[in-house]
Amino acid sequence: TIVPSLPEYQDASEVGTRTLWVVCVLMIIASIVFTGLSWNVPISKRLYHVVTTMITIFAAMSYFAMASGHGVSYHHVQVRESHKHVPDTTHDIYRQVYWARYVDWSLTTPLLLLDLCLLAGMNGGNILMAIVADIIMILTGLFAAFGSEGTPQKWGWYAIACIAYLVVIWQLALHGRGMAMAKGGKVGKFFAAIGGFTLVIWTVYPIIWGIADGSRNMNVDEEIIAYAVLDILAKPVFGAWLLFTHQSMPETNIELKGFWSEGLGSE
Ligand code: RET
């Protein structure tokens, strides 16, 4: 016989919700600051500003959704527990999964990569491969988050996402770094620093995912706080570092002939 027990709901508390609101406000402030930084910059030198501001605007919208109770669903897992002297029990867990994160990440991580690829001076082919691998990583991460546990679904998708992540690292660490070094000392050093920072921060995401969404060894509030810290480092801190350095390092300028002029090709 199997005796079902009461379902368990794993929800964010007041602490989680408040954290989401705080990050939402920080992302709005970052968007305003980045817009301000671009004010006196000629349009032809605003590409990093435009890309970086879009990143924090998307994040602000995603955090607004999550803080106000949107962009979240319940993932159901049934856990069977066997006992020695009493009948087996099944235990239903309903855990909140904020799918709005994946919408955010599917838009912002390609833009973050674009910033880095432009800084390195990578070619279109390598940029495209890095971005497509990144989108695969985020979408398969979303499938993993809602995958069922009795089948290879969940950890299969997770494994595919990790392979896609390795492709991203491959493109950036090999091609990106090589191209940046070829641009000369200053840009090479800056790319190594901001790229290394990115690599460390990004690698913590799948680790948090494994502990929180994967094995549920972290409650929903702790998960919110962990991603909040990572998101602040990966977006506003990364963006400020990039834009301020760009301001004082003309070697980071990128040439996109005709792209910003009144019409393409009208130099
Ligand atoms: C998932 C789970 C599946 C395996 C891997 C992941 C990687 C996620 C990353 C996210 C980066 C997010 C950033 C957000 C910006 O604020 C999807 C967690 C590899 C690298 C930088």
Side-chain angles (χ1 to χ4, degrees):
T1 46
I2 300 170
V3 182
S5 60
L6 279 175
E8 177 191 338
Y9 288 90
Q10 300 185 350
D11 292 282
S13 76
E14 190 67 30
V15 175
T17 311
R18 208 166 286 160
T19 306
L20 293 170
W21 279 120
V22 169
V23 181
C24 177
V25 170
L26 286 175
M27 293 295 179
I28 293 170
I29 293 171
S31 305
I32 293 169
V33 170
F34 295 163
T35 305
L37 281 178
S38 76
W39 219 252
N40 290 315
V41 177
I43 193 100
S44 63
K45 296 201 173 109
R46 267 192 212 165
L47 189 49
Y48 294 116
H49 298 79
V50 170
V51 173
T52 308
T53 308
M54 288 196 292
I55 293 168
T56 50
I57 289 175
F58 280 135
M61 292 193 291
S62 153
Y63 269 93
F64 177 75
M66 296 191 288
S68 65
H70 260 160
V72 60
S73 289
Y74 284 97
H75 177 49
H76 169 229
V77 212
Q78 192 171 58
V79 184
R80 187 165 172 164
E81 284 151 359
S82 29
H83 309 278
K84 267 208 176 119
H85 304 294
V86 285
D88 283 2
T89 50
T90 61
H91 185 49
D92 287 297
I93 299 173
Y94 294 88
R95 185 186 171 98
Q96 278 187 319
V97 174
Y98 287 90
W99 52 261
R101 291 189 191 291
Y102 299 88
V103 178
D104 169 342
W105 296 347
S106 68
L107 297 165
T108 57
T109 57
L111 291 170
L112 287 163
L113 288 178
L114 185 60
D115 264 341
L116 287 172
C117 291
L118 291 170
L119 177 65
M122 280 163 66
N123 67 54
N126 286 119
I127 295 179
L128 194 60
M129 281 193 273
I131 287 179
V132 170
D134 178 81
I135 293 170
I136 291 176
M137 170 184 86
I138 301 299
L139 291 182
T140 52
L142 172 64
F143 302 157
F146 287 99
S148 54
E149 277 167 35
T151 73
Q153 241 174 35
K154 182 172 204 146
W155 295 103
W157 284 125
Y158 183 81
I160 295 167
C162 288
I163 294 167
Y165 181 44
L166 292 179
V167 175
V168 175
I169 296 175
W170 169 274
Q171 289 297 338
L172 269 286
L174 251 92
H175 296 286
R177 200 159 50 121
M179 297 294 289
M181 291 300 177
K183 275 185 156 186
K186 268 188 164 178
V187 178
K189 268 196 200 128
F190 177 49
F191 182 84
I194 200 165
F197 171 80
T198 302
L199 179 64
V200 172
I201 304 291
W202 283 40
T203 302
V204 183
Y205 281 87
I207 297 171
I208 297 296
W209 193 100
I211 301 170
D213 300 79
S215 55
R216 288 181 301 279
N217 281 315
M218 200 186 261
N219 68 37
V220 174
D221 279 343
E222 288 161 349
E223 177 185 347
I224 288 172
I225 292 166
Y227 283 135
V229 172
L230 290 174
D231 286 347
I232 290 166
L233 292 171
K235 289 180 175 122
V237 172
F238 170 94
W241 189 8
L242 176 69
L243 295 183
F244 280 113
T245 307
H246 175 49
Q247 224 166 32
S248 59
M249 202 190 279
E251 294 87 342
T252 57
N253 284 351
I254 27 185
E255 292 274 333
L256 285 177
K257 288 199 183 69
F259 191 77
W260 298 104
S261 48
E262 290 303 316
L264 274 176
S266 63
E267 277 285 289

